[in-house]
Amino acid sequence: MSNDNLIIAGKAYSSRLLVGTGKYQDFAQTRAAIDASGADIVTVAIRRTNIGQNAGEASLLDFLPPSEFTYLPNTAGCYSADDAVRTLRLARELLDDHRLVKLEVLGDPQSLYPNVVETLAAAKTLVKEGFEVMVYTSDDPIIAQQLEDIGCAAIMPLASLIGSGMGILNPWNLQLILERVKVPVIVDAGVGTASDAAIAMELGCQGVLMNTAIAAAQDPVLMASAMRKAVEAGREAYRAGRMPRKFYSATPSSPTSGMIGR
Ligand SMILES: CC(=O)[C@@H](O)[C@H](O)COP(=O)(O)O
């Protein structure tokens, strides 16, 4: 592990790329792409993925053993706080008292935009019940702050709508969230290609969560590898500190002063 780990709820992860496990051709392709991504944390849609609740069917657990990956059960497909809380209680039972979860409460099936009122209500209940809640939300800095105040372990604002691949629509709002929130800020949803992930990291986000950009690429394994590098490059660029932007440069890139013979 490097000395620049992602810390969530007191645990260190070497990869800052978090990936979903849905939308692949089959579990074998899921595994190959996730290996190429280098991700430590993988999300699992509890209502859509067999993790042992459907006996006799292929289980994700066989392809991505929880001994190798940190599972992040999520509430994809939930439209109310009650539904989301129920789903994560089920995940806790299925996964041996697992506490680290991704909360997402959606507003409508067309946009999949987060319903922040229901999200806040669910977050309150889950935190009280001892869950470590990584929460998908809008890019509203005030809501992000409220979710942190409730006790969420990470704030995960969207870049753009889930599955849209539109990239970061409002970098300024992400900046406002980053200024206010102390827990990790992880961009979740809407990443389309590697440069989107690099921009999120260059802004100072602590990680990026994505699914469709990898699973819907023509070559998911190659895209997963590209995303891994983009997240690493973006993080290094952030840590290095970019040069200031100048409309004109008064200094040439190859100064001649000080050269031998001048
Ligand atoms: C994997 C997961 O948790 C999704 O709900 C997430 O929001 C991903 O969005 P994209 O598919 O747009 O990357």
Side-chain angles (χ1 to χ4, degrees):
M1 238 181 229
S2 76
N3 57 3
D4 181 43
N5 297 317
L6 170 64
I7 313 283
I8 298 174
K11 196 171 165 209
Y13 301 91
S14 57
S15 174
R16 292 176 177 273
L17 174 57
L18 295 74
V19 293
T21 51
K23 301 184 180 174
Y24 289 96
Q25 264 167 25
D26 50 35
F27 283 151
Q29 190 189 54
T30 313
R31 172 73 205 221
I34 288 171
D35 280 344
S37 77
D40 300 315
I41 300 180
V42 297
T43 67
V44 182
I46 292 302
R47 297 167 132 222
R48 301 188 181 133
T49 313
N50 183 25
I51 53 164
Q53 66 274 48
N54 304 329
E57 279 177 26
S59 165
L60 187 72
L61 298 172
D62 298 329
F63 288 83
L64 297 172
S67 53
E68 287 179 52
F69 299 93
T70 296
Y71 269 41
L72 190 62
N74 80 23
T75 56
C78 292
Y79 290 86
S80 69
D82 284 352
D83 222 4
V85 168
R86 232 187 341 264
T87 301
L88 291 176
R89 285 179 187 147
L90 171 68
R92 187 167 59 187
E93 269 177 44
L94 288 169
L95 295 171
D96 217 7
D97 201 29
H98 185 90
R99 301 281 163 143
L100 186 70
V101 294
K102 174 182 163 182
L103 170 65
E104 71 178 51
V105 187
L106 304 173
D108 72 61
Q110 190 197 12
S111 71
L112 304 180
Y113 202 81
N115 179 331
V116 294
V117 175
E118 292 293 303
T119 301
L120 286 162
K124 272 186 203 148
T125 305
L126 291 166
V127 168
K128 266 194 211 128
E129 292 187 11
F131 286 93
E132 304 283 6
V133 181
M134 300 176 69
V135 59
Y136 169 66
T137 184
S138 64
D139 59 7
D140 178 334
I142 306 304
I143 297 294
Q145 178 75 71
Q146 289 181 7
L147 288 164
E148 179 179 48
D149 292 346
I150 286 170
C152 290
I155 308 299
M156 305 206 290
L158 48 71
S160 47
L161 297 181
I162 291 176
S164 69
M166 294 287 287
I168 299 173
L169 296 185
N170 197 337
W172 307 109
N173 270 29
L174 291 181
Q175 205 88 58
L176 290 173
I177 293 174
L178 285 162
E179 274 173 23
R180 285 165 173 72
V181 163
K182 285 173 204 64
V183 294
V185 174
I186 295 174
V187 160
D188 176 8
V191 165
T193 189
S195 53
D196 301 330
I199 290 169
M201 298 307 294
E202 287 173 11
L203 285 170
C205 294
Q206 280 85 355
V208 182
L209 196 168
M210 67 180 75
N211 189 169
T212 314
I214 297 176
Q218 290 178 27
D219 184 338
V221 176
L222 191 56
M223 185 57 88
S225 161
M227 291 298 185
R228 173 188 198 148
K229 291 168 190 147
V231 167
E232 286 172 4
R235 178 65 184 173
E236 284 188 6
Y238 170 74
R239 291 178 67 207
R242 63 154 293 142
M243 63 164 284
R245 286 182 175 86
K246 290 178 272 186
F247 195 59
Y248 289 108
S249 168
T251 32
S253 296
S254 311
T256 50
S257 63
M259 280 175 68
I260 296 166
R262 293 205 169 236

